Amino acid sequence: MTDEAKKMLNGEDELEDEADAFAAELTLSGTERIRQLAEAGDAAAQDRLGDCYKHGLGVAENHAAAVEWYKKSAEQGNAAAQRSLGYCYDYGQGVKMDKEKAVYWYEKSAIGGDVDAQRNLGNCYLHGWGVAQDYEKAVYWYEIAARHGHPDAECSLAHCYSDGKGVPQDYKKAVEWYQKAAHHGNVEAVGNLGVLYTYGRGVEKDERTAAEYFRRAADRGDANSQYNLGACYYWGDGVELDYDKAFYWYQKAARQRNADGQYGLGRCYDEGNGAKQDAEKAAQWYRKAAQQGHTIAQYYLGLCYENGEGVEQDYAKAAQWYQKAAEKGDEDAQYRLGWCHENGFGVERDADKAAAWYKKGAENGSANAQYALGWCYEHGRGVAKDYDAAVKWYEKGAENGNASAQLSLGNCYKAGLGVEQDHEKAAKWYREAAEQDNADAQLALGRSYFNGNGVEADKQQAVAWFQRAAQQGHAVAQSNMGNCYASGQGVERDMGKAVEWYEKAAENGNAIAQFNAGYLYATGQAGVQDLEKAVKWLSQSAAQGNADAQKVLRMLGYM
């Protein structure tokens, strides 16, 4: 940690609290003298009397009376009263809210040198409140106030440098102004220094120092820093991983209605980290955050409704929450919303809308959406069939680790769809997906080894991959295992094991395996002749249209 960072972490507030000093003064002398001076036309006294009415100091709180006295003082050019009158118009205290009048009085006060008004005027220009949005003018007023040591203005000026609003983006200057603001007691600046240390912006990345800044701000009640400190503990960034402490700080933030903190609590309950796993509580906290516009929480609340976890399953509500998150650019929500449109879950089935949302998600980096969009192009669903485009998106999804995209890309190379046929590349992508336990890819890789396509023929390797897929319940792979044991390819010939695998595949509805199992039982090649089992499996195969099964049944007199 740098010496400057230590100084910031250990620094104390240096600004005097003017409001507390005034309150103390009133306790000693009361309001009568102030009223006499105000009624005699003293502008400073009029401003003070306005403060008394606004805060209920020595008189009953009365915002309308406060406005009356502020106005008298402001019209005489008192900058403090002009700022206070602007504030009343800004927030509708004692008068009807009027942002333009707020700007009018802030500007008069700012020109008169009031640093609070200068900072407030900067806010108006930054956000376009009562005036056309103008980042450069916002920076102009922030800098004037900041040069006079106004902590909030220093922090706001740092924001502008960090975000590149009104000035070229400059993280080092952002750090400089955050440090000044932090030294002057601005707790938000302390937390924001933690963010800059987290990502190494304007300073050398240092997660331990970041966590210390977050702790200092969190201890002083900054909700964002409480969430960030919780996240440090949740992921073990700069501190030892500790889910209990993560939950503690998330809860602190959530109690202040901090949406990130609410989302964090939802994750804790969802995953059982730092709290007992509780789907209902997870959904409740996701909802609180989602209702405040938290994008990721909206997505997770959509998942809760889609899967019926913590709430009653409701595809329409799932789609609604996915839509909210998707419209704000969340790529996972865009993918799920596309899925809803593709399958007609919670929304009308619409292949065009499905493809459109997959495209948005794919362009934003969702590997699932990249695969889905590739599939749309391959099959002409919602878009014109285009094998080149299919390969393009399968490649993106495959490179991002999506097993289905890897399998599909392998299939394209195997068949020469959108690319030149290349069995080696096909096998390469089958392996990538197979190692992620994609059963279809394990089957495909097993076939590659069995036939020597793209890899050296190796029946034992083929059996190994068939078995991995078969153990996941893949019916074709189970049938292939039966074939291997029946023919002694890659394993020692064993008709007993052959029929075992055929029956597993048969139970999963594979017509060829049903025929093979029935035939082995009919001929006694399974080790025992069993006409009842033979008829059972042959009948199921025949019912699926298998001509060989129908022929054997006729020979046995059952058709």
Side-chain angles (χ1 to χ4, degrees):
M1 189 191 307
T2 65
D3 291 339
E4 184 63 26
K6 291 178 181 176
K7 182 179 178 183
M8 290 301 103
L9 286 169
N10 296 324
E12 297 294 332
D13 296 355
E14 294 182 352
L15 295 183
E16 179 178 273
D17 192 332
E18 184 179 341
D20 286 347
F22 178 44
E25 178 187 333
L26 283 173
T27 301
L28 295 173
S29 60
T31 61
E32 190 56 36
R33 177 60 178 160
I34 295 174
R35 184 180 297 278
Q36 289 173 356
L37 291 171
E39 290 174 348
D42 186 287
Q46 291 167 341
D47 173 47
R48 290 286 187 160
L49 189 56
D51 289 340
C52 291
Y53 277 111
K54 181 177 180 179
H55 301 290
L57 300 173
V59 293
E61 187 176 301
N62 186 329
H63 289 291
V67 168
E68 181 183 338
W69 285 108
Y70 284 147
K71 190 172 291 186
K72 289 179 185 292
S73 180
E75 289 171 348
Q76 292 192 66
N78 184 285
Q82 291 167 338
R83 178 246 302 151
S84 295
L85 184 57
Y87 188 92
C88 291
Y89 278 114
D90 204 353
Y91 293 94
Q93 294 183 350
V95 289
K96 184 178 179 181
M97 184 184 292
D98 188 327
K99 297 292 187 181
E100 291 184 7
K101 285 186 179 178
V103 169
Y104 172 83
W105 287 110
Y106 283 152
E107 189 166 23
K108 282 189 173 292
S109 178
I111 292 170
D114 187 278
V115 290
D116 287 324
Q118 291 162 351
R119 193 260 180 168
N120 291 350
L121 186 57
N123 288 343
C124 292
Y125 278 112
L126 183 72
H127 300 288
W129 295 335
V131 68
Q133 191 174 55
D134 190 324
Y135 293 139
E136 290 184 6
K137 286 186 179 178
V139 168
Y140 171 81
W141 286 110
Y142 286 149
E143 189 161 11
I144 290 175
R147 299 278 177 205
H148 286 89
H150 192 290
D152 293 345
E154 291 168 334
C155 185
S156 296
L157 184 58
H159 287 332
C160 291
Y161 277 111
S162 182
D163 297 339
K165 291 182 175 179
V167 288
Q169 191 173 56
D170 189 328
Y171 288 121
K172 287 187 177 180
K173 285 189 177 179
V175 170
E176 176 188 338
W177 283 108
Y178 279 141
Q179 287 176 335
K180 289 179 185 291
H183 188 65
H184 289 146
N186 184 288
V187 66
E188 182 184 354
V190 177
N192 286 336
L193 281 169
V195 173
L196 294 180
Y197 273 102
T198 297
Y199 297 103
R201 294 172 179 167
V203 290
E204 186 176 348
K205 183 174 180 177
D206 187 335
E207 290 180 344
R208 290 181 64 85
T209 298
E212 290 176 28
Y213 273 116
F214 290 145
R215 186 186 308 283
R216 179 187 169 196
D219 284 338
R220 294 172 59 190
D222 182 69
N224 287 330
S225 294
Q226 290 170 341
Y227 164 74
N228 284 330
L229 183 56
C232 288
Y233 280 114
Y234 196 90
W235 302 107
D237 293 338
V239 293
E240 187 175 345
L241 188 145
D242 189 324
Y243 290 130
D244 291 339
K245 287 183 179 178
F247 183 88
Y248 171 83
W249 286 110
Y250 284 156
Q251 191 171 52
K252 285 266 193 184
R255 285 173 178 168
Q256 296 194 63
R257 299 191 70 254
N258 178 275
D260 285 326
Q262 293 167 339
Y263 160 71
L265 278 184
R267 289 296 298 272
C268 287
Y269 281 115
D270 200 352
E271 298 172 5
N273 292 331
K276 184 179 178 181
Q277 194 168 35
D278 189 322
E280 287 188 18
K281 286 185 178 179
Q284 288 169 8
W285 284 109
Y286 286 149
R287 186 190 313 282
K288 288 179 185 290
Q291 288 171 338
Q292 291 198 68
H294 194 285
T295 305
I296 302 175
Q298 291 170 338
Y299 165 69
Y300 274 99
L301 184 57
L303 284 179
C304 291
Y305 276 112
E306 180 185 327
N307 299 316
E309 295 178 347
V311 292
E312 186 175 346
Q313 189 175 52
D314 189 324
Y315 290 123
K317 287 183 179 178
Q320 288 168 8
W321 285 110
Y322 288 149
Q323 178 102 25
K324 288 181 184 293
E327 287 174 349
K328 289 187 285 186
D330 185 274
E331 65 272 20
D332 294 321
Q334 290 167 339
Y335 164 68
R336 295 310 300 170
L337 186 57
W339 179 86
C340 289
H341 281 292
E342 181 183 350
N343 296 285
F345 286 164
V347 291
E348 188 175 345
R349 189 188 298 266
D350 189 322
D352 291 348
K353 286 184 178 178
W357 281 112
Y358 286 150
K359 190 170 190 293
K360 288 181 184 290
E363 289 172 343
N364 285 326
S366 165
N368 287 331
Q370 290 164 345
Y371 159 69
L373 183 58
W375 189 91
C376 289
Y377 277 114
E378 181 182 353
H379 299 279
R381 290 292 302 276
V383 290
K385 186 178 288 189
D386 185 333
Y387 292 131
D388 290 344
V391 168
K392 167 190 168 182
W393 288 109
Y394 284 151
E395 275 187 337
K396 287 183 182 291
E399 288 165 358
N400 284 325
N402 182 279
S404 296
Q406 292 165 343
L407 169 64
S408 295
L409 185 57
N411 289 339
C412 289
Y413 276 112
K414 179 182 178 183
L417 293 178
V419 288
E420 186 176 344
Q421 190 176 51
D422 189 323
H423 289 293
E424 287 187 13
K425 286 185 178 179
K428 168 189 179 296
W429 286 112
Y430 288 152
R431 184 182 305 280
E432 292 281 346
E435 288 175 350
Q436 293 194 64
D437 283 333
N438 182 289
D440 287 329
Q442 291 168 341
L443 172 66
L445 184 58
R447 285 171 170 165
S448 296
Y449 275 112
F450 196 90
N451 298 312
N453 289 332
V455 291
E456 187 175 345
D458 186 329
K459 297 295 196 290
Q460 288 183 332
Q461 278 289 314
V463 169
W465 285 109
F466 288 153
Q467 187 163 6
R468 286 183 64 172
Q471 287 170 340
Q472 294 192 65
H474 196 293
V476 176
Q478 291 168 335
S479 181
N480 283 358
M481 287 295 294
N483 292 341
C484 290
Y485 275 109
S487 62
Q489 297 188 80
V491 289
E492 186 175 344
R493 190 170 186 268
D494 186 324
M495 297 306 293
K497 287 185 178 179
V499 79
E500 284 180 20
W501 280 111
Y502 283 144
E503 283 197 284
K504 287 180 185 290
E507 287 167 356
N508 284 323
N510 185 278
I512 294 174
Q514 290 166 344
F515 167 74
N516 286 334
Y519 185 81
L520 292 180
Y521 277 120
T523 60
Q525 293 182 54
V528 60
Q529 192 171 36
D530 189 325
L531 190 59
E532 183 179 345
K533 286 186 177 180
V535 171
K536 168 190 169 183
W537 290 122
L538 289 168
S539 297
Q540 289 188 26
S541 181
Q544 293 194 64
N546 186 288
D548 290 333
Q550 294 167 352
K551 180 179 178 181
V552 173
L553 282 172
R554 280 195 293 270
M555 291 173 60
L556 294 173
Y558 284 89
M559 281 193 76

